[in-house]
Amino acid sequence: MASVSTAGEAVARIAYLSSDVVLSVQPALASDSEFSKHLHGYAAKRLPSLVAKQPPEVISVRHNVDPLLSAFQPLRSGKVVSVTTSSTTLLPSIPHLYKLAQYPIVLHVSLHTVNYPDYSEITAIRQCGFTFLQSETLQEAQDLALSAHALAVKSGKGVIHFFDPGNSKGDAPIDIENRELAAKILDVDSSRAMQGTPDEGSFLYLDDGRRAAIMTGGASTSRDGRSETEAVKKTASTAANKSPNREASSVGSSVRESSADSRPTVSSATSIDSLTTRPVTSEDISEYLSAIWSQIEKLTGRRYQAFEYTGPEDAQSALFVFGSTGLFVDALGAANASEEFANFGLVTARLYRPWIGPRLAEALPRSVKRIAVLEQIRRKTTKWGPVLLDILTSLRSGSPAISAPQIVGHQLGYIEPATARQALRGIFQNLNSPKPIQNLEVGSREEPRPSLDQYSLAQPKVESAYMKILDQVFGERLYVANRLDAANAGISATIASSPEFGFGSLLARSDHRRRFIGEVKEAATTRNFTTDVPQSCLSKWAMNAEDPKHVNAMAPEIIARLSNDGSSLASTLLESKALFFKESQWLIGSDAWAYDLGNSGVHHVIASGANVNMLILDTQPWSERAAADAVRRKKDIGLYAMNFGNAYVASVAVYSSYTQVLEAMIEADNFNGPSVVVAYLPYNQEDDSPLTVLQETKKAVDLGYWPLYRWNPNNEDGGEPNFSLDSERIKQELEEFLRRDNHLTQLMNRHPRFAANLSESYGTEVRALQKRKAKDAYNTLLESLYGAPMTILFASDNGNAESLAKRLGSRGKARGLKTMVMAMDDYPLEDLQTEENVVLITSTAGQGEFPQNGRAFWDAVKDTTELDLSSINYAVFALGDSHYWPRKEDKIYYNKPGKDLDARIAFLGGKKLAEVGLGDDQDPDSYQTGYAEWEPKLWQALGVDKVEGLPEEPPPITNEDIKIQSNFLRGTIAEGLEDTSTGAISASDQQLTKFHGTYMQDDRDLRDERKAQGLEPAYAFMIRCRLNGGVATPSQWLQMDSVSSSYGNETMKLTTRQTFQFHGVVKSRLKSAMRGINKALMTTIAACGDVNRNVMLSPLPTRSAFHRDVHQVSAKISDHLLPSTSAYHEIWLKDNGSDEKQTKVAGDAVVDKEPLYGPTYLPRKFKITIAVPPHNDTDVYAHDIGLIAIKNDSNNRLEGFNVLVGGGMGVTHNNKKTYPRTGSMLGYFPASKIHLVCEKVMLVQRDHGDRSNRKHARLKYTIDDMGVDVFRGKVEELLEAKFEEPRPFEFKSNIDTFGWQKDEEGLNHFLMFIENGRVEDTAEFPMKTGLREIAKVHKGDFRLTPNQHLCLSGVRDEDLDTIKGMLKKYKLDNLHFSALRLSSSACVAFPTCGLAMAESERYLPELITKLEGCLEENGLRQDSVVMRMTGCPNGCARPWLAEVAFVGKAYGAYNMYLGGGYHGQRLNKLYRSSIGEEEILGIMKELLR
């Protein structure tokens, strides 16, 4: 039988079994308490509780965020609630304890041990109305935990079960609890009677009048048939609503403090026939508990009493221990008969409150004459200990004729096990002396060995981002009054970190500075300095003492001059030298400050009007917001502060807009008055990854839960609006505030595009309404048709299932059926049982998951127990890939959504029209093979299989159709940009905009949440520049920086094709962004699409002259192959009011031409790169054309190129007809004609590439179909020239060489590490700011590398120190990374790439971090290993050439490839398929050993 070895585990098991809800109070969400590890383990296994018959809800709460507040909502909902916590939470929770005592809640309290346990946290709350039970051994912990839950149910009152976990540390393991026994003790029926009977009380800090009560009158059930427990609960609840402020009895602390209320009572009962109610008394508690313990004794033989006595029956001396008893039990048990204390008895309290005095007298032998009371209480507030007073009152309040024993109090500290016997001798001697010493200390107050306090205050690492920004912005003049590491003599860290203490500290510091200013003014008029220099400086400083700009500039000089002066007056002033600066003074707080704003320091700061800045962090994730818990819901500090009217307020989120955080902090500092910056940093656990925080932040900001704004009441003076909205949505409360003072109208006038978002509210109701309207519209349309109805529901990610569904719908109509086609998630599920014929078509996503637009439908169908589908006929067709998950154990994922759906609908009563159809991508015609067999069966079942005269189906529209109908890439792009009803453009225009250098995407982090809110996806556009050879001027860099900040998501991506890429550009800003790029004399035309794209070139920092030669050639190729259409200029650059004229024919058709491409352009994308041996950093083998530069040995200048053709990286998982390929050598050609070679290769591809199948349209397939020799011949035919034999060359690496290098012309170049090419500012690394500042002074150029890094080129020696200083200042000179990290590369993938199957850019850095320890262990930190990761098999980061590569297959799953050539010349091979992080780390660590 399983066993239990710790008290925490024993208690956790009982709490889990006995509750609907368990609040697990933890030192941190990432740190387990002695209970939480077990609780979460049980929850993960979905173990049911005895009470709920299903897994209880386990809620983790940090110990310092008012955790007991979370108990009210479930209690008032009729849930059975327990709490597991350390005793540290008790004192701060006193306001809640008095109310919770009137609910049947159980608090399991582990005494917080720092050096030794402190029972004062128990005695301090002894009068709060709870019942207190104490356990000491492991078995007692199990039994008394069970007793506590049974007692709470019987009495209707709260029970605190407390124990010292160290006391039972040496106990032998015990059996786990017996479930049948536990069910009997708990009286499960009574527990269930409490469930589902909500309490209407809603007061938080006021007394709501609820009182635990029992009925008298002899009836056990009420007139309406409810159980007594339910009737009592309802009575108490009713009383609460009628008498919210009435007082009630409390269970007292002793006979003296009568446990039954002695005050006049006010009836709060509602009569039920002849029944009356009265408050629960001490006697009731004692009777209930005695009954429970009698039951335990009967079932187990274990006996418990309110006071436990062990020892001789004729003992004359006894120890009453209120503390850890383990040492004394052991010492007394091992005592020799000759030892002084051998006949001591030992008394402990099992029932501490209510204190039943007579039970103590009954427990003691009549022979006892002396009692030593040992209290382990550190914080004594009175001379006499509370337990001593309890015992005195109990034993000396009887008849004077009865002689009471002598009672001597002792204070118990830490006792070493070896000195326990000595301690007992000391107690015995003191107790038996003629004049015993009261309050004698036994043991030491401090334990010799220091212990770690896991409940001490500490800033979670994830929260450091904002502190780092404060440090960056304010530097030396930053002063945080309540910082955790401050030295505050005699003040606890908890108090010192509070807003009240911090505010007082700042006021005192302000007074200090005012005095200091006076001292400086006086010093400036004296002659007590060694020289006259300090006087003039101090005078100027004193005149500007309150002007931050002036005094902060002057302070360093004044301090330096005073330091040099050496006089005693100068030394005195230097003692407070920090005050020469005008400090930026801040209070830092958490969202815990937001629960009781009116009584917290937040209110005092704002109301004071003092010039104090507050930074308040809110860490609650959007996905776990407590919207359903009105009591727990935090107050909106920002809105609270704005209502005062005198405060600067900003709402910021560093993972949404770093720039806005900087602006807000600077504005707050400049504001003369209180400033409140509420900062969002959502996390579930303190060790959450930045990716998790980012995703949660994006959801909250995008949906308006956390709007970004700034409110400056001083702006009115300058005619500016007070309110600035920095995000696109606001929540309802903020909207109401703005509307009240007409600020909303002003805001809408300034930002018309926000109007729809600001004036509407979204939610699940809107989503339901949308579904209903769509369905009703379909029904209206179908009413006029004849024939049987057929509803077709699809779930599709890549469009195949959707296309099948729509085609099936069209075919059904042709056969006379009334067909309706909808996405599963757009269909109102409640209508499903009213349908007649339903067809469901679904593809397979990830590891056997439903596609995005079918997940909600499946979740509802899977979980429903109320849907009766016995009246419907149905059929299912599934699309999947039988080889996608090749491992035997993964075969279940093949077409799993379709199979699951088929089984579930059959279970719910549906009748099959046909067996589930399975489309397999491995079949000759992919999924069409299986579909061709399945569809006729469907028509046969519906009786429409023999319909004649069916119309011929039009062929599907292809990319070739879109191109030829686009009028040279115009399409309806211009019209789509003007459509403000959506953030998207049409499907055909999405294909055409690629030719213009932009892709429409949506934020996949937000898809589910926006869908739930009834919103369309968060559409935005990616823009890719065309940057020949990756070379940009400083002015171009600055302009790109501006474009990213003004129109994008404030970041830039340096791509693997050596260009700039911007993300998050919404449609309304797209044209402005394009114009901003054009302003830098750059373009985006042909950066994407079926054309020649950006021409790549090695950055070559050590050979500038040769780089210039090759760069000229690359520019010539790029310009020569540029599309000629004027559509780009017309759509993006021409003003609407421009009078530019174009020649038009045949109506609106523009006369345009494409001499190289023709109207259909190329079959697929076309890529050219140039490599300069010995560097293959451009991966020359991976492109359609790879040019290997050959130099002239006599003059070291460019001579010509070896030409490779047919390289390409993109594949489709498990589609053997697609594959990566390295380029084939055609031969050598002189540099002067190389642009013509590129043209002719492209023309052969244009005319012979496969335009019928885009998966087979790349040049690599054309060459393999034709053969290299045939292809070479066609190119030579067009060239009218022959290729020469290739010239010799050698590649030595394909990675970047980091650090400073000098070229042959004496110019300096610095190649810096930009991880995965992402240029952004973070709290730890202001990279984007640093590069912007460098670009302002740099006189050379910026070279983007094919490995996504950056080369600062052409730095002259005279500028070297300046540039090096700036690199150091912004941490851009840091190259102390592992060689693995320096050699890594990743594509963008999630959240913006629509093709991504797994994370890449956001995950690879984390994976490398987890591998670096192994590299260190094996001495491989400096050994380069080329590692690349992509989110899909399209190969943007060229993974197939890496030594180690990970290609996304599903979220969290990757194919692993090994064996690529270090020089980029050899493809790697599949090593393991579909593996997750744990397997990746295991394999890599073995490989690295």
Side-chain angles (χ1 to χ4, degrees):
M1 188 174 183
S3 62
V4 175
S5 57
T6 68
E9 181 183 3
V11 170
R13 292 186 65 89
I14 297 298
Y16 187 90
L17 288 174
S18 309
S19 310
D20 294 312
V21 176
V22 183
L23 294 180
S24 174
V25 182
Q26 299 170 207
L29 297 180
S31 301
D32 277 319
S33 69
E34 58 204 290
F35 310 102
S36 61
K37 179 181 179 181
H38 307 291
L39 290 169
H40 293 306
Y42 309 146
K45 295 176 182 176
R46 304 287 297 166
L47 300 177
S49 79
L50 290 171
V51 171
K53 294 297 184 183
Q54 61 185 10
E57 183 180 8
V58 177
I59 303 174
S60 296
V61 190
R62 294 200 307 274
H63 77 104
N64 59 343
V65 292
D66 206 1
L68 295 192
L69 192 61
S70 296
F72 284 98
Q73 193 272 336
L75 281 170
R76 288 171 172 166
S77 299
K79 300 289 182 65
V80 179
V81 180
S82 62
V83 180
T84 59
T85 181
S86 157
S87 56
T88 56
T89 64
L90 297 178
L91 294 183
S93 300
I94 283 177
H96 302 314
L97 290 176
Y98 281 88
K99 291 185 68 178
L100 289 173
Q102 306 304 324
Y103 289 88
I105 185 174
V106 176
L107 275 62
H108 296 288
V109 178
S110 169
L111 290 172
H112 181 215
T113 302
V114 179
N115 300 330
Y116 60 93
D118 181 10
Y119 284 71
S120 63
E121 288 165 318
I122 298 296
T123 59
I125 61 168
R126 65 190 184 278
Q127 296 177 5
C128 68
F130 269 81
T131 299
F132 287 75
L133 298 179
Q134 178 185 199
S135 62
E136 295 178 325
T137 68
L138 181 55
Q139 185 63 67
E140 287 174 8
Q142 184 185 77
D143 290 346
L144 267 66
L146 189 60
S147 302
H149 284 277
L151 180 60
V153 171
K154 285 184 178 293
S155 67
K157 288 181 66 69
V159 179
I160 292 177
H161 165 225
F162 64 97
F163 61 95
D164 169 19
N167 205 50
S168 58
K169 191 173 289 185
D171 289 8
I174 62 172
D175 291 339
I176 63 170
E177 71 290 333
N178 182 300
R179 289 180 67 93
E180 292 183 7
L181 180 149
K184 291 179 181 177
I185 301 297
L186 286 174
D187 189 3
V188 172
D189 291 338
S190 294
S191 297
R192 288 180 186 152
M194 293 166 50
Q195 297 169 318
T197 51
D199 185 349
E200 293 82 2
S202 60
F203 300 100
L204 182 56
Y205 294 101
L206 295 177
D207 184 354
D208 59 11
R210 179 188 171 94
R211 294 295 176 266
I214 58 175
M215 292 187 197
T216 58
S220 59
T221 58
S222 62
R223 185 170 57 188
D224 59 3
R226 288 176 292 157
S227 69
E228 180 178 311
T229 303
E230 183 181 354
V232 171
K233 187 176 189 300
K234 186 67 179 176
T235 302
S237 175
T238 305
N241 288 331
K242 291 187 176 182
S243 308
N245 294 313
R246 289 179 182 170
E247 298 179 347
S249 65
S250 64
V251 177
S253 62
S254 64
V255 175
R256 179 175 53 85
E257 302 164 346
S258 175
S259 55
D261 194 352
S262 58
R263 293 170 293 178
T265 59
V266 180
S267 174
S268 60
T270 302
S271 61
I272 303 176
D273 287 349
S274 61
L275 297 178
T276 60
T277 63
R278 62 172 176 79
V280 176
T281 65
S282 301
E283 287 74 15
D284 297 323
I285 297 292
S286 179
E287 288 178 11
Y288 292 148
L289 192 56
S290 296
I292 293 167
W293 283 342
S294 295
Q295 204 173 3
I296 291 176
E297 183 179 11
K298 181 179 179 181
L299 294 170
T300 69
R302 296 188 290 271
R303 187 166 182 262
Y304 296 102
Q305 294 180 324
F307 295 97
E308 296 280 353
Y309 173 83
T310 57
E313 288 301 319
D314 59 351
Q316 295 190 351
S317 300
L319 296 179
F320 189 108
V321 182
F322 192 68
S324 298
T325 60
L327 288 177
F328 297 115
V329 171
D330 293 342
L332 288 172
N336 297 323
S338 61
E339 293 195 74
E340 298 170 301
F341 53 82
N343 289 322
F344 262 23
L346 184 66
V347 188
T348 53
R350 291 285 163 271
L351 175 63
Y352 174 56
R353 281 296 183 273
W355 182 276
I356 312 294
R359 298 288 185 273
L360 175 59
E362 293 170 4
L364 289 170
R366 292 186 175 273
S367 59
V368 171
K369 304 300 182 185
R370 294 172 296 276
I371 299 176
V373 180
L374 277 66
E375 298 178 78
Q376 204 158 28
I377 296 172
R378 292 190 193 186
R379 294 187 288 269
K380 274 187 61 181
T381 55
T382 59
K383 180 178 179 180
W384 307 107
V387 177
L388 178 69
L389 294 176
D390 285 337
I391 294 173
L392 283 170
T393 305
S394 300
L395 299 181
R396 294 190 174 181
S397 59
S399 170
I402 300 176
S403 176
Q406 183 181 15
I407 300 171
V408 180
H410 297 73
Q411 297 301 311
L412 182 59
Y414 173 74
I415 297 178
E416 285 278 1
T419 63
R421 297 162 72 90
Q422 181 181 345
L424 282 172
R425 289 191 196 99
I427 295 169
F428 177 84
Q429 291 168 2
N430 183 53
L431 187 61
N432 286 280
S433 67
K435 293 184 178 180
I437 301 171
Q438 290 286 356
N439 288 327
L440 179 69
E441 289 194 3
V442 178
S444 65
R445 284 287 177 177
E446 300 297 333
E447 179 189 354
R449 296 178 304 282
S451 61
L452 180 65
D453 182 5
Q454 63 173 339
Y455 285 90
S456 60
L457 289 178
Q459 183 186 48
K461 184 179 179 181
V462 71
E463 292 186 10
S464 64
Y466 289 103
M467 285 303 302
K468 289 179 179 177
I469 296 176
L470 284 175
D471 285 331
Q472 290 171 12
V473 174
F474 302 115
E476 289 185 354
R477 68 187 193 91
L478 174 66
Y479 179 79
V480 178
N482 61 336
R483 67 187 189 278
L484 292 177
D485 59 348
N488 297 291
I491 304 296
S492 72
T494 303
I495 295 174
S497 64
S498 68
E500 298 93 330
F501 180 89
F503 181 42
S505 170
L506 287 180
L507 293 179
R509 193 164 181 83
S510 297
D511 288 340
H512 185 189
R513 191 167 189 271
R514 280 192 289 270
R515 291 194 303 271
F516 181 73
I517 293 171
E519 293 169 3
V520 171
K521 288 179 178 178
E522 184 178 347
T525 63
T526 68
R527 299 283 180 180
N528 295 335
F529 294 105
T530 304
T531 67
D532 293 336
V533 175
Q535 288 177 294
S536 60
C537 293
L538 292 174
S539 297
K540 292 178 183 177
W541 182 90
M543 293 176 62
N544 298 282
E546 298 297 338
D547 185 338
K549 184 176 180 180
H550 284 86
V551 298
N552 293 332
M554 296 168 62
E557 181 185 359
I558 292 175
I559 293 171
R561 291 182 182 274
L562 290 175
S563 300
N564 294 332
D565 185 79
S567 64
S568 60
L569 180 55
S571 299
T572 301
L573 293 175
L574 286 173
E575 290 175 0
S576 302
K577 63 181 179 182
L579 298 179
F580 278 113
F581 294 91
K582 176 65 174 174
E583 294 174 330
S584 182
Q585 298 180 335
W586 290 82
L587 293 173
I588 312 294
S590 71
D591 49 4
W593 290 7
Y595 292 107
D596 184 20
L597 285 175
N599 294 319
S600 76
V602 175
H603 167 84
H604 303 313
V605 172
I606 298 172
S608 73
N611 188 11
V612 174
N613 304 311
M614 284 190 291
L615 174 67
I616 300 174
L617 274 63
D618 191 308
T619 60
Q620 184 182 57
W622 150 257
S623 58
E624 293 188 4
R625 63 202 183 283
D629 184 354
V631 172
R632 180 72 195 174
R633 190 182 300 128
K634 297 190 294 287
K635 312 304 184 295
D636 189 324
I637 293 180
L639 192 57
Y640 184 83
M642 282 195 288
N643 274 291
F644 272 82
N646 69 331
Y648 173 89
V649 183
S651 175
V652 303
V654 68
Y655 279 86
S656 178
S657 177
Y658 177 87
T659 303
Q660 192 241 2
V661 176
L662 295 179
E663 291 175 340
M665 288 181 171
I666 293 170
E667 290 175 357
D669 182 59
N670 291 334
F671 185 78
N672 187 20
S675 298
V676 178
V677 178
V678 283
Y680 197 50
L681 199 76
Y683 60 86
N684 296 290
Q685 293 192 335
E686 289 81 357
D687 58 356
D688 274 358
S689 68
L691 173 57
T692 302
V693 179
L694 170 68
Q695 290 172 323
E696 287 291 343
T697 301
K698 287 168 65 176
K699 292 176 188 176
V701 172
D702 180 77
L703 297 172
Y705 171 75
W706 192 268
L708 307 183
Y709 64 82
R710 287 165 291 143
W711 166 272
N712 190 338
N714 286 352
N715 282 358
E716 283 183 340
D717 299 338
E720 294 290 323
N722 290 356
F723 186 83
S724 299
L725 182 64
D726 300 314
S727 61
E728 296 199 12
R729 285 186 178 81
I730 57 177
K731 52 189 173 181
Q732 184 178 359
E733 298 90 341
L734 183 56
E735 178 185 337
E736 291 172 354
F737 170 81
L738 294 171
R739 200 183 296 280
R740 186 175 67 228
D741 290 332
N742 203 34
H743 296 292
L744 188 64
T745 303
Q746 297 173 24
L747 186 63
M748 288 184 176
N749 289 338
R750 283 185 287 122
H751 302 288
R753 63 190 177 86
F754 290 165
N757 294 333
L758 297 176
S759 58
E760 296 180 20
S761 61
Y762 301 103
T764 53
E765 300 83 0
V766 175
R767 181 69 179 142
L769 184 60
Q770 289 171 342
K771 292 181 182 181
R772 171 56 54 209
K773 285 184 176 179
K775 176 74 182 335
D776 290 348
Y778 255 121
N779 288 340
T780 302
L781 182 65
L782 296 177
E783 281 176 359
S784 60
L785 302 177
Y786 297 95
M790 182 172 71
T791 299
I792 305 169
L793 304 178
F794 65 84
S796 178
D797 270 344
N798 60 9
N800 288 337
E802 181 176 0
S803 297
L804 274 187
K806 290 179 177 177
R807 190 176 74 182
L808 182 66
S810 298
R811 291 178 175 179
K813 286 180 182 176
R815 293 171 184 271
L817 300 175
K818 295 193 293 186
T819 62
M820 176 177 70
V821 183
M822 298 181 74
M824 290 183 188
D825 281 1
D826 291 337
Y827 181 84
L829 184 63
E830 63 272 14
D831 286 3
L832 189 60
Q833 57 194 359
T834 66
E835 300 288 356
E836 184 175 335
N837 302 303
V838 179
V839 178
L840 303 110
I841 300 177
T842 178
S843 58
T844 305
Q847 288 186 297
E849 298 158 11
F850 268 79
Q852 194 88 20
N853 58 356
R855 290 178 188 171
F857 178 89
W858 168 243
D859 287 342
V861 169
K862 175 184 65 176
D863 296 335
T864 185
T865 57
E866 301 176 356
L867 204 59
D868 180 6
L869 301 183
S870 58
S871 62
I872 75 165
N873 305 306
Y874 80 97
V876 176
F877 186 79
L879 294 80
D881 184 340
S882 59
H883 289 183
Y884 199 81
W885 301 100
R887 297 188 301 187
K888 183 177 180 181
E889 61 268 28
D890 294 337
K891 293 295 183 184
I892 58 169
Y893 299 137
Y894 168 57
N895 272 324
K896 187 174 185 296
K899 293 175 182 176
D900 288 349
L901 195 55
D902 179 68
R904 184 61 182 171
I905 293 182
F907 175 80
L908 293 172
K911 296 182 285 291
K912 291 186 181 183
L913 290 166
E915 288 298 320
V916 60
L918 301 178
D920 189 350
D921 283 350
Q922 296 301 314
D923 287 341
D925 293 323
S926 187
Y927 59 85
Q928 297 285 2
T929 302
Y931 183 79
E933 298 174 358
W934 175 82
E935 186 183 300
K937 298 176 183 177
L938 176 66
W939 300 140
Q940 185 177 9
L942 291 170
V944 292
D945 54 319
K946 302 188 185 306
V947 175
E948 298 180 355
L950 293 174
E952 185 176 339
E953 290 183 356
I957 296 176
T958 67
N959 279 59
E960 297 302 307
D961 298 323
I962 293 171
K963 286 186 284 186
I964 202 166
Q965 295 169 14
S966 71
N967 192 13
F968 294 95
L969 307 183
R970 286 172 177 80
T972 58
I973 297 173
E975 293 80 0
L977 294 174
E978 297 298 321
D979 181 4
T980 59
S981 66
T982 176
I985 56 176
S986 69
S988 58
D989 286 342
Q990 289 174 40
Q991 298 301 317
L992 295 175
T993 54
K994 295 177 183 180
F995 292 81
H996 298 258
T998 181
Y999 280 72
M1000 191 187 87
Q1001 303 173 325
D1002 77 288
D1003 194 324
R1004 296 174 68 178
D1005 285 343
L1006 304 175
R1007 274 186 186 174
D1008 290 341
E1009 289 294 344
R1010 289 181 67 87
K1011 190 172 186 179
Q1013 296 290 316
L1015 298 168
E1016 70 176 10
Y1019 292 119
F1021 290 78
M1022 178 274 284
I1023 301 177
R1024 185 182 297 152
C1025 295
R1026 187 181 181 89
L1027 186 67
N1028 173 52
V1031 178
T1033 65
S1035 62
Q1036 287 176 326
W1037 183 277
L1038 288 171
Q1039 185 61 18
M1040 296 303 98
D1041 180 277
S1042 176
V1043 168
S1044 69
S1045 296
S1046 302
Y1047 308 114
N1049 64 357
E1050 301 183 13
T1051 75
M1052 291 189 292
K1053 175 78 169 179
L1054 309 185
T1055 75
T1056 54
R1057 294 202 60 77
Q1058 289 182 284
T1059 189
F1060 297 101
Q1061 196 162 284
F1062 308 108
H1063 292 271
V1065 182
V1066 295
K1067 186 171 77 173
S1068 59
R1069 297 176 180 173
L1070 190 55
K1071 184 179 285 190
S1072 298
M1074 293 290 204
R1075 293 183 174 189
I1077 292 168
N1078 182 70
K1079 185 178 177 181
L1081 304 181
M1082 291 169 61
T1083 183
T1084 66
I1085 183 70
C1088 321
D1090 299 340
V1091 288
N1092 175 57
R1093 300 188 177 185
N1094 198 54
V1095 178
M1096 295 173 62
L1097 168 64
S1098 172
L1100 213 63
T1102 58
R1103 298 162 64 191
S1104 290
F1106 198 76
H1107 181 270
R1108 281 195 296 273
D1109 292 346
V1110 183
H1111 187 261
Q1112 288 173 4
V1113 173
S1114 70
K1116 191 172 185 178
I1117 296 170
S1118 180
D1119 293 343
H1120 182 68
L1121 301 183
L1122 198 66
S1124 299
T1125 177
S1126 60
Y1128 184 86
H1129 175 85
E1130 179 185 316
I1131 293 171
W1132 306 109
L1133 306 180
K1134 189 185 78 171
D1135 291 330
N1136 292 337
S1138 170
D1139 58 357
E1140 294 181 45
K1141 295 183 179 178
Q1142 293 174 307
T1143 304
K1144 299 184 178 182
V1145 296
D1148 290 331
V1150 176
V1151 176
D1152 222 331
K1153 59 182 179 180
E1154 284 290 4
L1156 288 180
Y1157 292 102
T1160 54
Y1161 296 86
L1162 299 180
R1164 282 290 261 125
K1165 56 189 171 186
F1166 197 85
K1167 299 178 178 180
I1168 301 175
T1169 188
I1170 303 175
V1172 182
H1175 306 290
N1176 187 20
D1177 46 6
T1178 65
D1179 281 330
V1180 72
Y1181 293 95
H1183 303 264
D1184 295 278
I1185 298 179
L1187 302 177
I1188 302 171
I1190 305 299
K1191 70 174 180 175
N1192 185 305
D1193 291 333
S1194 62
N1195 61 11
N1196 286 327
R1197 303 302 291 266
L1198 178 65
E1199 185 173 278
F1201 296 89
N1202 287 345
V1203 181
L1204 297 166
V1205 295
M1209 295 287 99
V1211 304
T1212 298
H1213 280 312
N1214 296 328
N1215 186 338
K1216 295 177 182 177
K1217 296 178 181 179
T1218 67
Y1219 46 83
R1221 187 185 191 277
T1222 54
S1224 300
M1225 181 65 74
L1226 291 186
Y1228 169 84
F1229 218 86
S1232 60
K1233 299 290 182 67
I1234 200 65
H1235 64 291
L1236 296 177
V1237 173
C1238 294
E1239 174 197 316
K1240 305 313 178 188
V1241 172
M1242 190 182 79
L1243 292 181
V1244 175
Q1245 164 66 357
R1246 181 195 69 185
D1247 297 338
H1248 296 275
D1250 187 352
R1251 292 181 182 267
S1252 64
N1253 179 5
R1254 286 184 68 80
K1255 290 185 181 294
H1256 191 253
R1258 287 293 298 273
L1259 178 60
K1260 59 183 177 181
Y1261 302 117
T1262 305
I1263 291 176
D1264 281 349
D1265 291 346
M1266 296 174 68
V1268 175
D1269 292 339
V1270 173
F1271 187 86
R1272 181 191 291 112
K1274 289 191 176 294
V1275 174
E1276 290 175 336
E1277 183 181 336
L1278 293 176
L1279 273 172
E1280 298 180 350
K1282 298 285 187 181
F1283 286 97
E1284 300 177 26
E1285 285 297 311
R1287 302 292 172 83
F1289 64 94
E1290 182 184 11
F1291 287 132
K1292 294 184 178 179
S1293 79
N1294 67 343
I1295 62 172
D1296 291 335
T1297 304
F1298 295 95
W1300 283 104
Q1301 300 175 77
K1302 191 178 283 285
D1303 65 22
E1304 78 280 15
E1305 298 175 350
L1307 294 174
N1308 301 284
H1309 307 258
F1310 181 76
L1311 208 157
M1312 66 188 75
F1313 174 68
I1314 310 288
E1315 189 156 36
N1316 297 320
R1318 182 64 63 182
V1319 179
E1320 62 181 337
D1321 278 336
T1322 67
E1324 294 79 13
F1325 187 14
M1327 179 203 306
K1328 190 164 182 276
T1329 297
L1331 289 171
R1332 180 171 60 248
E1333 295 305 310
I1334 289 173
K1336 292 176 182 177
V1337 300
H1338 181 43
K1339 299 169 186 173
D1341 55 37
F1342 290 87
R1343 298 181 192 175
L1344 284 61
T1345 81
N1347 290 310
Q1348 302 179 289
H1349 306 302
L1350 182 65
C1351 185
L1352 196 64
S1353 296
V1355 180
R1356 300 186 181 278
D1357 287 345
E1358 57 267 28
D1359 300 324
L1360 199 55
D1361 289 342
T1362 300
I1363 296 297
K1364 283 185 175 180
M1366 297 183 76
L1367 289 170
K1368 183 179 174 105
K1369 176 181 178 181
Y1370 293 104
K1371 305 178 185 177
L1372 291 164
D1373 62 347
N1374 182 15
L1375 298 176
H1376 300 296
F1377 301 101
S1378 67
L1380 175 63
R1381 192 177 295 274
L1382 292 173
S1383 304
S1384 66
S1385 184
C1387 70
V1388 175
F1390 282 96
T1392 53
C1393 179
L1395 301 175
M1397 302 171 180
E1399 291 283 0
S1400 180
E1401 178 190 328
R1402 301 193 297 191
Y1403 173 58
L1404 183 58
E1406 293 183 25
L1407 179 64
I1408 292 175
T1409 297
K1410 293 174 181 179
L1411 287 171
E1412 284 175 326
C1414 182
L1415 291 172
E1416 293 276 5
E1417 291 172 8
N1418 293 282
L1420 298 176
R1421 180 177 173 81
Q1422 302 307 322
D1423 289 38
S1424 175
V1425 178
V1426 178
M1427 178 183 284
R1428 295 176 181 171
M1429 177 176 282
T1430 58
C1432 77
N1434 284 338
C1436 291
R1438 303 186 288 277
W1440 319 108
L1441 293 172
E1443 294 177 282
V1444 181
F1446 300 99
V1447 178
K1449 203 166 185 187
Y1451 202 86
Y1454 299 83
N1455 280 358
M1456 182 178 185
Y1457 297 82
L1458 296 176
Y1462 183 68
H1463 305 154
Q1465 80 286 7
R1466 182 180 67 241
L1467 292 172
N1468 51 33
K1469 293 185 178 180
L1470 179 64
Y1471 179 71
R1472 290 287 299 276
S1473 179
S1474 310
I1475 58 176
E1477 182 180 276
E1478 186 175 346
E1479 291 172 281
I1480 290 173
L1481 293 175
I1483 294 170
M1484 284 300 301
K1485 288 176 180 179
E1486 284 298 317
L1487 291 175
L1488 293 171
R1489 284 185 179 144

